[in-house]
Amino acid sequence: MEKIQNLFINGEWTKPSSEEYLDKYNPTTGELYGKFASASREDVDRSIDSAYDAQKKWERLTSVERSKYLYKLIDLISQDREYLTNILMDEVGKPRVEAEEEVDGVLDQLQYYAEFARKITGDVVEGTKPERIIYQYKVPYGVVLAITPWNFPAAMVARKIGPALISGNTVIIKPSSDTPFVAGWIVEKVRQAGFPPGTVNLITGKGSVIGDYMTSHKKISVITLTGETKTGVQIMKSSSSIMAKLILELGGKAPFIVWKDADLELAARVLMWAKYWNSGQSCIAAERLYVHEDVYDKFINLFIEKTKTLRIGDPRTNDMGPLINSGQLSKVSSFVESAVSEGAKIVFGGGKPQLPDKFSKGFFYMPTILTRVKQNMKIFREEIFGPVIGAMKVSDDFDEVIDLANDSDYGLASYLFTKDISLAMKASREIKFGELYINMPGPEASQGYHTGFRMSGQAGENSKYGVEEYVKVKNVYIDYSKDSTKGEVIPPYT
Ligand code: NAD
């Protein structure tokens, strides 16, 4: 039976006031997967009012009390993890092993943030006169609008609600219209965990109706977005009148550098993951391959041989599934066409794979490798977000390679394979990316700070720095002396 999902406002599943629903398609088969509520502005108002009212009480709980709700949520998700794994396979087209890994990620993130219950601390500093003191409290901002993407739809919800809730904020989750059901399932677990009404709300719908409206609503204090850079820019504009705190996790264009002394087998194995994980739809995906001229041919051949072994098809039984939707499929194929028209050469893949008829409407694209790519081609400048990689041969000048890597609007993840410690250290100082993986794969850990340079975003998530994005420092000045003459003020106000 077709799934139907409503909005979750003030602790209850509720129909949208418009009674309108939107369609979600299964990317593997192209068939209708379910219908989800299209919220109106009135629904948005109700959800934000409910989060705003609930926040006053939620903040009064101690963080240890708040963590008990998070631990309950962790228990409920763990008990039913196979269900979430299935939605991830159906809704995103993730292979089983990747869907399972994402569920692990959700639990790891929630656990990590719940443990912050006893770690959010402030400072006490002396005043400038005797018997005066200043308390610097970490206080919540208020209502957090958490806007999530479709590529890691469960992990991104966990990464946002965890720190927001433990620090005393309440949340409105606005998931991508490509993955409303993953978010809905997590919110149902929130309901079962008994969070107070209004603490977590779910709004789904059309960007044209609710996008700017939500992000310019005066009762929103923090907007945390994971999405495309252009969406981040749009939200900076729409939220400018409300002075909301912005946490923006945006696009990437990761350089993947293979130096002449690298362990090529290791580098090729990691590149398989860095390129084909989630069909290349990851913000930390390798997008620009720079290989030293001495090992270029050998490495490209090794990577082609490994790529040939990838099984593509139904994500339940294969290594790589489809792209998320038809728009993404056209975008990825247009990148390949443009690279070829600019002089690149396809050495593996290109186009749709041959699959059984039942997947003929699925959004599949072949893993694709291009050589003869140049730094200024579109395929090296813009985010592809698909199983396609371009390769460029580089000379023995390591400084030049660092310059090439840094020459990008994006600055999220980067990769380097070398056994030379001095080059590794040089790169760790000079690569201008939020993350550098040396001789190893990602993804980022809960205890690492995930942040982008340049157009990859601002602020960040995970680690203690990520939690601190959700609290403000409030200062309380106290004079505790008994001397009533001490309250002197600047003349003439004596
Ligand atoms: P997207 O920007 O299209 O959408 C992200 C979310 O923003 C969705 O919920 C969407 O409905 C919403 N949205 C879009 N326009 C809006 C507006 N004007 N106002 C309010 N909400 C709006 O991104 P996507 O296609 O879902 O995700 C892929 C992108 O996310 C890629 O660029 C990828 O690199 C990036 N990403 C970044 C990270 C990171 O940690 N930096 C992680 C995952 C994905």
Side-chain angles (χ1 to χ4, degrees):
M1 207 179 68
E2 188 179 276
K3 286 169 178 269
I4 296 196
Q5 183 174 286
N6 283 312
L7 306 169
F8 189 72
I9 301 177
N10 202 28
E12 286 176 3
W13 287 104
T14 155
K15 285 186 176 173
S17 60
S18 62
E19 306 239 344
E20 266 184 54
Y21 290 84
L22 303 171
D23 294 337
K24 158 68 191 165
Y25 293 88
N26 178 321
T28 304
T29 60
E31 282 162 11
L32 187 65
Y33 177 66
K35 289 181 176 288
F36 62 97
S38 175
S40 63
R41 293 180 175 186
E42 191 188 321
D43 299 321
V44 168
D45 284 341
R46 279 199 301 125
S47 70
I48 296 178
D49 285 345
S50 123
Y52 189 84
D53 292 342
Q55 198 272 331
K56 293 172 211 156
K57 289 189 196 138
W58 184 243
E59 177 177 3
R60 279 185 210 131
L61 298 180
T62 64
S63 43
V64 171
E65 286 169 323
R66 289 195 292 266
S67 74
K68 289 185 182 146
Y69 291 95
L70 281 175
Y71 285 120
K72 180 78 185 152
L73 177 62
I74 293 167
D75 269 356
L76 290 169
I77 295 176
S78 318
Q79 283 165 28
D80 216 0
R81 52 173 298 145
E82 178 60 14
Y83 202 90
L84 181 57
T85 305
N86 274 292
I87 316 180
L88 283 163
M89 289 191 286
D90 291 342
E91 201 173 48
V92 193
K94 274 180 198 261
R96 168 169 277 283
V97 64
E98 293 185 16
E100 285 173 350
E101 188 193 28
E102 183 163 351
V103 178
D104 287 342
V106 167
L107 296 170
D108 180 68
Q109 300 254 343
L110 291 175
Q111 179 77 30
Y112 181 75
Y113 291 118
E115 286 167 8
F116 266 87
R118 295 171 206 270
K119 294 183 196 154
I120 302 173
T121 54
D123 291 301
V124 180
V125 286
E126 278 191 343
T128 39
K129 295 211 168 156
E131 299 181 288
R132 286 189 179 174
I133 202 155
I134 307 166
Y135 289 102
Q136 296 184 308
Y137 288 103
K138 303 274 177 64
V139 297
Y141 276 83
V143 178
V144 172
L145 173 59
I147 307 178
T148 55
W150 47 261
N151 63 340
F152 293 92
M156 294 302 116
V157 167
R159 188 191 264 184
K160 293 183 189 307
I161 66 173
L165 292 172
I166 195 68
S167 53
N169 301 279
T170 53
V171 188
I172 318 283
I173 303 170
K174 208 306 276 166
S176 164
S177 294
D178 278 302
T179 49
F181 293 100
V182 167
W185 186 87
I186 295 176
V187 166
E188 171 56 18
K189 295 293 156 192
V190 164
R191 190 192 68 76
Q192 291 170 17
F195 278 79
T199 314
V200 176
N201 301 269
L202 177 76
I203 286 289
T204 49
K206 291 185 191 151
S208 54
V209 178
I210 58 170
D212 286 356
Y213 188 71
M214 294 185 99
T215 53
S216 57
H217 197 295
K218 279 205 172 126
K219 285 185 178 168
I220 297 287
S221 299
V222 178
I223 301 173
T224 168
L225 161 78
T226 300
E228 286 189 56
T229 293
K230 68 172 192 239
T231 307
V233 171
Q234 171 59 31
I235 287 176
M236 278 185 131
K237 288 182 191 156
S238 58
S239 66
S240 62
S241 62
I242 58 167
M243 222 40 100
K245 158 87 185 249
L246 298 183
I247 303 167
L248 302 174
E249 300 289 349
L250 309 176
K253 190 78 196 159
F256 192 102
I257 304 167
V258 182
W259 202 241
K260 59 184 173 187
D261 61 349
D263 177 335
L264 297 187
E265 176 59 35
L266 169 72
R269 198 180 332 124
V270 172
L271 184 56
M272 288 294 287
W273 166 82
K275 185 64 270 181
Y276 303 129
W277 186 41
N278 203 23
S279 304
Q281 302 168 120
S282 145
C283 57
I284 59 168
E287 291 245 338
R288 294 178 287 148
L289 177 58
Y290 297 107
V291 187
H292 190 285
E293 56 194 2
D294 291 359
V295 293
Y296 183 84
D297 290 339
K298 191 171 174 195
F299 184 75
I300 297 292
N301 287 332
L302 183 60
F303 186 53
I304 291 173
E305 287 312 306
K306 285 198 182 291
T307 299
K308 279 183 189 161
T309 65
L310 262 191
R311 294 167 306 152
I312 303 146
D314 185 346
R316 285 170 189 272
T317 48
N318 287 283
D319 307 320
M320 199 178 92
L323 297 172
I324 188 74
N325 56 33
S326 59
Q328 197 63 22
L329 180 59
S330 332
K331 189 176 143 211
V332 169
S333 54
S334 82
F335 265 102
V336 175
E337 283 158 26
S338 119
V340 171
S341 74
E342 289 178 278
K345 184 180 171 204
I346 299 175
V347 290
F348 187 83
K352 292 193 89 176
Q354 294 290 329
L355 290 173
D357 279 354
K358 62 177 174 173
F359 303 124
S360 62
K361 288 201 228 134
F363 310 123
F364 291 89
Y365 197 83
M366 279 291 282
T368 299
I369 305 166
L370 295 119
T371 54
R372 298 189 199 156
V373 172
K374 297 219 165 58
Q375 185 73 1
N376 285 328
M377 288 182 182
K378 179 180 160 190
I379 199 166
F380 257 28
R381 310 296 326 169
E382 296 175 25
E383 189 180 39
I384 311 167
F385 228 56
V388 170
I389 191 147
M392 185 170 153
K393 193 186 282 186
V394 294
S395 74
D396 203 30
D397 183 345
F398 194 71
D399 284 318
E400 191 176 275
V401 178
I402 289 193
D403 286 347
L404 286 168
N406 286 339
D407 172 29
S408 173
D409 288 345
Y410 297 98
L412 189 61
S414 55
Y415 301 82
L416 170 64
F417 288 79
T418 180
K419 289 183 191 139
D420 184 331
I421 182 76
S422 78
L423 292 185
M425 290 309 294
K426 183 180 174 61
S428 66
R429 294 293 295 261
E430 295 182 13
I431 283 260
K432 293 187 167 48
F433 284 74
E435 261 154 40
L436 170 63
Y437 296 93
I438 301 178
N439 297 329
M440 63 172 284
E444 66 274 14
S446 296
Q447 67 275 26
Y449 185 52
H450 188 58
T451 183
F453 284 36
R454 300 183 289 280
M455 300 296 278
S456 287
Q458 64 176 32
E461 292 184 310
N462 286 350
S463 84
K464 65 175 181 184
Y465 305 117
V467 177
E468 284 180 3
E469 306 289 8
Y470 289 87
V471 287
K472 266 181 104 76
V473 180
K474 185 164 94 182
N475 295 269
V476 179
Y477 289 75
I478 302 175
D479 184 319
Y480 57 88
S481 68
K482 287 193 170 152
D483 180 355
S484 63
T485 64
K486 267 190 67 198
E488 75 274 23
V489 286
I490 306 164
Y493 311 105
T494 50

